[in-house]
């Protein structure tokens, strides 16, 4: 009886070991780390060349920076930022948890950044843009190349190329005045699909030196995607 039980245990362990490579093969990598300073990949220190997978969390400390190559596009985090790489999506999808997250995307490989105020994605074609969370219900969206779309539950707002907009949500709905004029790109106050929220877009100055440095890196780096 002991011999039978022992044989069953050995067979069970062998089957389990055979299944491990199958599970690993089903987890397709998203890309790799190409720059990391004061950065974390999951619970470990991020290193250049490390592979990233769906579900991975990435973060930078104060003064840190991180850049990933994903297909022919790139994702970057500035200082004190964090994001989670999402699973099971046709486009590259990252959830912005805090700080500043940006991307460079060719037309054939769309990017999406999920934020508490909606999903930010390219309108069309090659795009370079970023999102900065400035509060629980406020962010700045900057379109450096190509237009960006902010999709708030089906309500679409366009951020035109070369512009930065502050996007905020109010908890109390505002009733629009009759015949009130609306500015371009939805810059007026407009009720969102959810009646408990109002989304506002306000033009702000294009953000500064750190972002310009990243733009230069993406433009001049050998790992820059070719559009």
């Amino acid at each position: 009886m002991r011999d039978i039980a022992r044989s069953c245990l050995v067979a069970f362990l062998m089957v389990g070991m055979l299944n491990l490579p199958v599970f690993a093969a089903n987890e397709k990598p998203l890309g790799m780390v190409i720059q990391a300073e004061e950065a974390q990949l999951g619970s470990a220190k991020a290193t250049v060349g490390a592979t990233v997978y769906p579900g991975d969390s990435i973060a930078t400390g104060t003064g840190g920076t991180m850049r990933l190559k994903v297909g022919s596009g790139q994702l970057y985090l500035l200082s004190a930022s964090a994001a989670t790489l999402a699973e099971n999506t046709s486009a590259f999808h990252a959830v912005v948890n805090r700080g500043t997250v940006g991307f460079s995307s060719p037309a054939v490989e769309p990017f999406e950044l999920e934020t508490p105020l909606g999903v930010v994605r390219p309108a069309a074609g090659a795009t370079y843009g970023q999102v900065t969370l400035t509060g629980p219900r406020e962010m700045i969206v900057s379109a450096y190349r190509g237009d960006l779309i902010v999709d708030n539950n089906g309500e679409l707002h366009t951020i035109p190329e070369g512009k930065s907009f502050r996007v905020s949500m109010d908890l109390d709905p505002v009733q629009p005045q009759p015949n009130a004029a609306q500015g371009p790109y939805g810059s007026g106050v407009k009720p969102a699909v959810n009646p408990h929220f109002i989304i506002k877009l306000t033009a702000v100055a294009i953000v500064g030196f750190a972002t310009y440095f990243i733009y230069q890196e993406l433009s001049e780096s050998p790992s820059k995607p070719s559009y």
Side-chain angles (χ1 to χ4, degrees):
M1 193 67 182
R2 289 181 179 176
D3 290 340
I4 295 175
R6 186 177 302 165
S7 299
C8 290
L9 178 61
V10 170
F12 176 78
L13 292 174
M14 289 181 65
V15 170
M17 291 177 66
L18 288 173
N19 284 337
L20 285 176
V22 175
F23 293 140
N26 288 336
E27 191 175 22
K28 184 180 178 180
L30 288 174
M32 63 182 293
V33 179
I34 58 175
Q35 182 182 9
E37 298 176 14
E38 297 296 325
Q40 293 285 121
L41 175 57
S43 58
K45 182 178 180 180
T47 57
V48 173
T51 304
V52 294
Y53 292 88
D56 280 348
S57 60
I58 54 177
T60 56
T62 302
T65 185
M66 187 175 190
R67 196 147 50 105
L68 310 179
K69 184 168 178 61
V70 184
S72 55
Q74 293 187 27
L75 180 81
Y76 66 84
L77 274 66
L78 297 187
S79 171
S81 302
T84 304
L85 310 181
E87 304 179 68
N88 301 325
T89 176
S90 56
F92 177 80
H93 190 98
V95 179
V96 182
N97 299 321
R98 70 172 185 271
T100 298
V101 179
F103 64 87
S104 170
S105 169
V108 293
E109 295 180 6
F111 272 54
E112 291 182 345
L113 296 181
E114 182 180 338
T115 77
L117 291 92
V119 175
V120 178
R121 63 173 182 268
T127 310
Y128 166 44
Q130 76 175 29
V131 167
T132 300
L133 297 184
T134 55
R137 295 192 301 276
E138 184 178 89
M139 66 180 177
I140 295 175
V141 181
S142 301
Y144 297 103
R145 180 180 181 184
D147 294 350
L148 295 177
I149 296 292
V150 180
D151 185 347
N152 175 43
N153 293 323
E155 183 189 3
L156 306 181
H157 297 267
T158 301
I159 311 298
E161 179 177 0
K163 301 291 184 180
S164 284
F165 274 68
R166 186 182 305 278
V167 183
S168 60
M169 277 189 176
D170 293 336
L171 290 175
D172 298 324
V174 176
Q175 298 300 323
Q177 297 298 319
N179 303 319
Q182 293 290 322
Y185 310 111
S187 56
V189 177
K190 179 181 178 184
V193 173
N194 184 339
H196 298 293
F197 289 94
I198 299 297
I199 187 166
K200 298 178 182 178
L201 272 70
T202 307
V204 296
I206 207 80
V207 286
F209 177 78
T211 301
Y212 176 77
F213 176 76
I214 289 290
Y215 178 79
Q216 291 294 102
E217 285 285 307
L218 292 178
S219 299
E220 298 174 4
S221 169
S223 57
K224 177 201 170 188
S226 22
Y227 293 128

